Amino acid sequence: MIDTRLWGKSNGLEKPYPLIGHLLDTAMVAGAVWDSVLAVAQREAIADALRVPVAEARRLVMFWAGLHDIGKILPQFQGMAAQDKPGACAFLSESVYAHEREHDSQARKIRHEVATNRSLPQLLAALGYPASGRPARLLLTQVAQLLGGHHGRYPEGAEARDVRDPLCGLPELGTGGWAEQRREHVAALHDVLGRPEAPVGRAMPVELAVTIAGVVIVSDWLASQEHAVSAQQAAAEAEAGADPDAERALTSPPSLLAHARRASDAAPALVADAGLGRADFRLQGFTGLFPEIDRPYPLQTSIEEALPGAVRGPGVLLVTAPPGEGKTEAALYAATVMGAASGRGGLFFALPTQATANQMYHRVVGFAERNLLDPAQVTLLHGAADLYERYAEHPLPDDGEAEPRVLSDHDDGPRGVAGISVVASRWLRSRGRGILAPIAVGTVDQILMGVLPLKRNALRHLGMSGKTVVIDEAHAYDAYTHALLLRLLVWLGAMGVPVVLLSATVTGETAAGLVESYLAGTGRASGPHGLPSPTYPGWMYVDAKTGSVTVPEKPVGSERGRALSMSVLPVTHTYDVTVADGRLAALIDELQGVTAEGGCAAVICTTVAEAQKTYEALREHYRALYGPDYGGWDDRSPDDAAGDGDAAAGPRLRLLHARFPARRRAALTEEAERWFGRTGKKGVCRPKPPRGAVLVSTQVIEQSLDLDFDVIVSDLAPMALLLQRAGRVWRHSAPGPSRPGWCDGPRLAVLAPVGGDGRLLVPAAWGDVYAPSLLQRTLELLQRQGDAPVRVPEDVQRLVDEVYDPEFASADPDALMQRDVQRLTDDMARTGLAGMVMLPSPARVDSLHQLTTSDADEDLVATRLGAETVQLLPVFDDEAGNRWLDEACTIPFPESGGSRDDRFTRAEVRTLLGHVVPLAHGPWRRACTEAHEPPDAWRNEPRLARLVLLPQRVADGGAPAGAVLGERVLTLDHSLGLVIGKIA
């Protein structure tokens, strides 16, 4: 008979909740997750692996999910409630629960999930699960291990002796009543679920095992919510009538079945309230999905005509086209076709940066609102998603209600939505859960972390496995990140996940590597698959099962073909305007038309520091031209907008880069979209001639932002990036903006730093942003091009491929050889490092334990080398000793939060983080002291506890005095952002 005194949940409850109740609850929720979250293809794959019908596979997964906490029948665990609820633990003194502790480990406490992993193989063997053979290949040990990972980290696999007698290796499990109750609980759960038969097969493919592990974790979380447990307790007491401690409550088969029915009835609402589910899109033609597009681009039409006939299941689609050809809409259309054919209707749209993810979020939300058949929630995933006000402040379905609390176990460590709804629930917005939403938009690192050995990796695997994954700018990463991306594609291929890869400038070799990695995951032999070279613009679809390749029957073509002027301007890298061939003089000359007649120009610099210097130099130049009262640079000045349309007021000048406070950067980005966005788009108001506008920036504007300039001046960069930037010049034509008279065609002027001998001389200030060998190859290619225009799109693929040509004919072969060796060595080192840290491919996973071995915090994990940043919070101290969050000393610095116990509300945390500036880790960090640590009251808020304060002194009427850290002075300036200077 079940002993209901064995508890499963205690913290936060008036009286403990019986373990059997929690096991039944979790099993029933798992059934709802199976029904509402798993795609048809996922259910069928699990059933096929188990060699049982789909309905039987469902019961097995429910049974396993219910068993996840069987390890709580453990002397150590049950005794943990003795201090808070001694009466609930009185039964431990009974002889049947006597436990000799002399053989227990004195060095460690046995966690209940470890006990689950070690005790289950024997219990499953007793139910008929095959138990002979190598343990790692047995289903019963695999199930035990995936259930042992329900708190996020898979334990080491069970050994053969654990199948025979787990007490040999883990005497802490307890004998007598302990062993008997483990058997009773397993038998009771098994009976309630109709005694699902033991599968006869061996261990499942690892990609399916991790999906089931994700189902178990989610089911446990949902079943452990305080309101769900309290509802079951109240129902049980009501049934017991006047005797809430009735002896037969949850002990007899009828009472167990009644409890299971209540849990089963409540489970679908728990899943729905959490925002989980599937996304089902309308299957329509292109204009049906995008009614705002009157006439699709040729690329979009080509995909619409041929892709539906080629897709029979999972596969990979590679789309190559210049910016502005409608790749985003083509990807969304393709995702609906590929998702429907593969039985995976969800969507994850991965982008290279937070800014591009923010922009894409709104486009995906709009697409979902128009085309979903039923409500499905959309999340935004990146490290600062809760800072993005248009997402964070979106009205929630449960707004005003307390967030559901998950009841933790004593040994779990610190505790810490009428119409089509797409609003993400509070549950989904909690850390680590967003990828479980039916639709998600985020930075690529959010899925790349799925191939790093991090805790709760099963949630990422579950979240990815039911979606079509779109990866934008698939070419845009260094060797380290690219290696992670290749491994991710292997996993996605193994999971049967459809993938869409988008690129504006991918080499043929890189394109083949991406597709071949996906095919390797599907089980096809590694190595060349006879893939055609990518066409530009064009697309290629490869079927996962057959390997068949589909490409357009005829050249796609482009209605946006144009002759692009790419002029190389050899310059001495100096900001001295008097140097005739200097960088500043050349830049001023290129901007002469904007200055005199109006128009829109972008200046793209290699580093933030270079952008700041360039902005300051242009500001001083315009002050010299228009007088000391020139105010076009200052958005706080009434003169900034007052002179709109007046050439005498001088051009409007802005700076945009990544080292602004989050709120300020968002405002600058929105302003840039208003000034330089698509004509006719709501809110866009381009500067009126003859007054022009100049945006000085870095790489942050070259990807995914829909900006259109009359001319772009760029520092030398690798060819692929220059062509990417060129996609922002004369971007729109139908409708297009009115172009100024001085501008007779799209032009990208390239400032190439050279020495006195005319050869490339990479400025020291550029650091290692770009490989010098790629800069040399790009410069020489452009010089060969001469005055001949670059035909877009016809010449793009050739130029991109030639930069990486092993037989590149250089005018300076000795220098190029040295630089190539340096680049290839660095790439090999980065690729090797990625190989050391990432997960093996699914086919090479011997134990689930390999998948979660890292203790790293996912918030601190960098999936791109050199991407580690520190979150700085500039604060301003006035002469009276008061501290503020702004230079004007109008926003007080909060020592504590405004809610109960001095805790911070979500809104307060978001407000504080809006003032944060990211800065790459460096020597300055070692100079930080206690003065740079946040107040004690902040340490209970994870997002605030990691901040580094940057105190600055503010005198009346004066500019802030920056913080001195080692040999650096860090100063926040409204127009420049965070400036890093050297101590004189």
Side-chain angles (χ1 to χ4, degrees):
M1 179 181 291
I2 293 289
D3 189 341
T4 57
R5 295 173 299 177
L6 291 165
W7 58 272
K9 296 291 177 182
S10 175
N11 284 339
L13 297 174
E14 185 176 340
K15 64 179 183 178
Y17 187 50
L19 175 61
I20 187 62
H22 177 58
L23 302 189
L24 289 169
D25 294 344
T26 304
M28 298 304 123
V29 173
V33 172
W34 175 280
D35 296 337
S36 301
V37 178
L38 292 189
V40 173
Q42 292 175 286
R43 300 180 225 161
E44 293 175 346
I46 293 171
D48 289 345
L50 297 174
R51 304 180 192 175
V52 299
V54 172
E56 187 70 5
R58 178 182 186 270
R59 288 200 299 158
L60 282 168
V61 171
M62 293 173 66
F63 177 50
W64 297 342
L67 293 175
H68 75 287
D69 268 352
I70 200 71
K72 288 182 176 179
I73 305 177
L74 182 75
Q76 288 183 7
F77 182 88
Q78 290 297 318
M80 286 178 174
Q83 184 175 356
D84 295 335
K85 299 179 176 67
C89 296
F91 73 96
L92 296 178
S93 62
E94 299 174 7
S95 60
V96 71
Y97 290 114
H99 176 64
E100 298 294 335
R101 298 183 180 272
E102 60 188 46
H103 299 299
D104 289 359
S105 171
Q106 302 300 311
R108 62 193 174 99
K109 182 182 73 173
I110 304 303
R111 293 180 62 88
H112 74 270
E113 63 267 33
V114 174
T116 294
N117 176 51
R118 299 290 283 275
S119 63
L120 258 184
Q122 185 188 52
L123 295 167
L124 292 176
L127 293 177
Y129 284 65
S132 61
R134 183 183 169 194
R137 296 181 179 177
L138 296 177
L139 178 63
L140 58 79
T141 53
Q142 185 186 54
V143 170
Q145 192 177 31
L146 74 85
L147 295 182
H150 74 268
H151 279 285
R153 203 179 299 286
Y154 300 111
E156 294 185 7
E159 300 178 8
R161 67 177 183 177
D162 297 316
V163 180
R164 295 190 300 270
D165 184 4
L167 286 168
C168 291
L170 199 68
E172 292 89 346
L173 288 172
T175 59
W178 300 105
E180 178 63 23
Q181 283 301 313
R182 283 192 289 271
R183 289 191 292 269
E184 289 284 351
H185 278 69
V186 172
L189 183 62
H190 196 237
D191 287 344
V192 168
L193 290 169
R195 296 175 175 252
E197 292 189 14
V200 297
R202 303 183 75 80
M204 296 174 288
V206 67
E207 61 270 16
L208 297 179
V210 297
T211 299
I212 295 174
V215 170
V216 173
I217 293 175
V218 171
S219 302
D220 181 29
W221 279 355
L222 295 179
S224 298
Q225 293 177 105
E226 184 176 16
H227 69 281
V229 174
S230 297
Q232 280 284 34
Q233 287 182 314
E237 291 183 3
E239 285 191 3
D243 184 8
D245 297 320
E247 290 184 3
R248 298 189 63 80
L250 281 180
T251 59
S252 66
S255 66
L256 291 170
L257 286 170
H259 183 101
R261 281 194 294 270
R262 287 196 303 271
S264 181
D265 291 342
L270 292 176
V271 174
D273 290 347
L276 301 175
R278 292 190 294 270
D280 294 311
F281 292 97
R282 294 186 300 131
L283 286 177
Q284 291 204 357
F286 201 89
T287 54
L289 294 176
F290 302 97
E292 72 278 14
I293 298 179
D294 296 328
R295 191 164 61 109
Y297 288 116
L299 174 72
Q300 298 166 340
T301 300
S302 176
I303 291 175
E304 180 185 16
E305 290 175 348
L307 184 65
V311 176
R312 293 291 181 268
V316 58
L317 173 68
L318 173 68
V319 180
T320 52
E325 292 284 353
K327 292 193 297 293
T328 296
E329 291 78 11
L332 292 172
Y333 168 79
T336 64
V337 174
M338 297 166 67
S342 63
R344 289 170 168 82
L347 173 67
F348 187 99
F349 210 119
L351 297 111
T353 67
Q354 294 181 0
T356 54
N358 290 346
Q359 302 304 312
M360 188 60 67
Y361 168 74
H362 296 289
R363 297 174 72 174
V364 171
V365 164
F367 175 78
E369 288 176 334
R370 292 191 305 269
N371 296 299
L372 280 171
L373 295 175
D374 297 295
Q377 301 192 4
V378 185
T379 52
L380 175 64
L381 305 179
H382 58 69
D386 51 358
L387 301 185
Y388 186 50
E389 293 187 11
R390 294 170 68 183
Y391 173 71
E393 295 181 354
H394 210 301
L396 295 167
D398 58 350
D399 204 21
E401 298 181 11
E403 184 174 1
R405 184 164 68 100
V406 175
L407 298 174
S408 64
D409 303 313
H410 283 77
D411 63 341
D412 279 349
R415 301 171 197 168
V417 178
I420 295 296
S421 172
V422 297
V423 180
S425 69
R426 291 189 187 277
W427 195 90
L428 281 176
R429 295 189 191 208
S430 297
R431 182 173 179 260
R433 301 174 184 171
I435 199 168
L436 299 171
I439 305 171
V441 179
T443 48
V444 72
D445 61 282
Q446 296 295 314
I447 51 171
L448 290 180
M449 282 192 282
V451 293
L452 294 176
L454 299 175
K455 188 176 181 181
R456 295 197 179 94
N457 228 345
L459 295 180
R460 282 195 168 80
H461 295 149
L462 174 62
M464 293 188 301
S465 63
K467 296 178 172 67
T468 296
V469 173
V470 180
I471 302 175
D472 196 13
E473 310 293 357
H475 64 281
Y477 307 105
D478 65 10
Y480 174 80
T481 309
H482 184 72
L484 295 183
L485 178 57
L486 294 180
R487 182 56 50 84
L488 172 68
L489 289 170
V490 173
W491 274 81
L492 295 177
M495 290 177 170
V497 171
V499 173
V500 180
L501 301 168
L502 306 179
S503 178
T505 51
V506 65
T507 67
E509 181 180 0
T510 299
L514 293 168
V515 174
E516 287 169 1
S517 292
Y518 181 86
L519 294 177
T522 67
R524 302 186 63 78
S526 60
H529 291 85
L531 300 174
S533 298
T535 57
Y536 198 86
W539 57 273
M540 171 173 55
Y541 176 77
V542 185
D543 183 85
K545 184 176 182 180
T546 65
S548 61
V549 179
T550 303
V551 296
E553 292 184 356
K554 57 184 180 181
V556 171
S558 173
E559 295 177 353
R560 305 182 71 253
R562 54 192 181 146
L564 171 69
S565 170
M566 290 185 70
S567 302
V568 177
L569 306 177
V571 296
T572 300
H573 194 77
T574 176
Y575 291 90
D576 185 348
V577 72
T578 65
V579 177
D581 65 347
R583 178 178 181 276
L584 181 57
L587 175 59
I588 290 173
D589 186 61
E590 282 296 319
L591 297 177
Q592 184 58 38
V594 177
T595 304
E597 302 177 38
C600 301
V603 181
I604 303 179
C605 305
T606 303
T607 68
V608 171
E610 293 280 288
Q612 290 170 331
K613 287 184 178 181
T614 300
Y615 172 86
E616 288 187 291
L618 287 175
R619 183 172 62 183
E620 293 309 308
H621 171 68
Y622 290 142
R623 278 175 172 163
L625 277 181
Y626 300 103
D629 294 332
Y630 164 70
W633 61 274
D634 188 357
D635 61 317
R636 299 167 298 183
S637 168
D639 294 335
D640 176 51
D644 205 12
D646 181 6
R652 301 180 82 172
L653 180 65
R654 288 293 187 273
L655 176 64
L656 175 60
H657 54 70
R659 233 158 54 197
F660 279 101
R663 191 180 298 269
R664 170 72 173 148
R665 177 178 173 181
L668 287 167
T669 301
E670 290 181 4
E671 182 182 60
E673 291 179 316
R674 290 197 304 272
W675 287 6
F676 311 115
R678 179 190 293 271
T679 301
K681 184 178 179 181
K682 183 178 179 181
V684 172
C685 183
R686 296 176 70 87
K688 299 177 182 178
R691 193 182 191 194
V694 178
L695 178 66
V696 180
S697 190
T698 59
Q699 299 91 331
V700 298
I701 66 168
E702 74 187 18
Q703 294 173 333
S704 298
L705 293 180
D706 190 11
L707 306 179
D708 183 336
F709 300 95
D710 299 315
V711 66
I712 293 179
V713 185
S714 172
D715 280 332
L716 179 65
M719 179 66 75
L721 295 183
L722 291 179
L723 292 169
Q724 183 87 21
R725 294 170 187 181
R728 270 69 193 163
V729 63
W730 282 49
R731 181 178 178 89
H732 300 132
S733 58
S738 174
R739 305 291 179 185
W742 56 266
C743 182
D744 56 4
R747 173 175 168 78
L748 176 71
V750 180
L751 304 176
V754 298
D757 57 2
R759 297 192 299 178
L760 175 68
L761 182 62
V762 180
W766 288 12
D768 59 356
V769 174
Y770 303 126
S773 79
L774 296 181
L775 295 180
Q776 180 178 341
R777 286 164 171 258
T778 297
L779 177 57
E780 292 190 25
L781 265 181
L782 291 176
Q783 288 172 333
R784 290 179 206 167
Q785 186 78 13
D787 294 332
V790 174
R791 295 172 302 152
V792 179
E794 293 88 348
D795 294 338
V796 172
Q797 194 65 54
R798 171 184 62 82
L799 290 172
V800 172
D801 285 337
E802 283 187 14
V803 166
Y804 291 90
D805 187 351
E807 305 299 325
F808 187 89
S810 173
D812 190 0
D814 292 339
L816 183 60
M817 178 177 291
Q818 291 181 354
R819 287 167 171 160
D820 278 346
V821 168
Q822 179 184 358
R823 171 174 60 90
L824 295 174
T825 301
D826 183 65
D827 285 352
M828 289 175 63
R830 290 170 181 258
T831 301
L833 180 58
M836 293 171 61
V837 301
M838 65 188 174
L839 302 183
S841 61
R844 294 182 177 274
V845 175
D846 296 321
S847 169
L848 297 178
H849 178 64
Q850 297 171 260
L851 306 183
T852 56
T853 54
S854 175
D855 291 323
D857 186 329
E858 66 183 55
D859 283 349
L860 303 180
V861 168
T863 58
R864 306 179 212 189
L865 279 182
E868 183 181 0
T869 60
V870 178
Q871 300 298 311
L872 286 175
L873 178 63
V875 294
F876 300 86
D877 299 329
D878 62 21
E879 294 178 322
N882 300 312
R883 176 160 284 187
W884 309 85
L885 289 173
D886 63 325
E887 178 184 343
C889 299
T890 61
I891 307 174
F893 176 87
E895 292 288 339
S896 60
S899 64
R900 186 164 52 97
D901 299 328
D902 293 332
R903 294 292 299 272
F904 287 84
T905 65
R906 286 174 181 263
E908 288 172 335
V909 171
R910 191 164 60 243
T911 297
L912 283 168
L913 294 178
H915 295 275
V916 165
V917 182
L919 180 62
H921 204 288
W924 64 270
R925 184 68 179 92
R926 293 193 293 270
C928 293
T929 65
E930 290 184 4
H932 302 94
E933 295 180 4
D936 290 342
W938 293 30
R939 295 177 184 174
N940 291 326
E941 307 295 339
R943 292 298 303 272
L944 303 182
R946 298 177 179 140
L947 299 182
V948 175
L949 303 187
L950 191 65
Q952 302 180 83
R953 299 291 300 176
V954 180
D956 288 342
V964 177
L965 293 173
E967 298 179 354
R968 295 288 186 268
V969 180
L970 278 62
T971 308
L972 181 65
D973 181 272
H974 177 80
S975 299
L976 295 174
L978 186 66
V979 180
I980 303 176
K982 292 183 178 180
I983 296 179

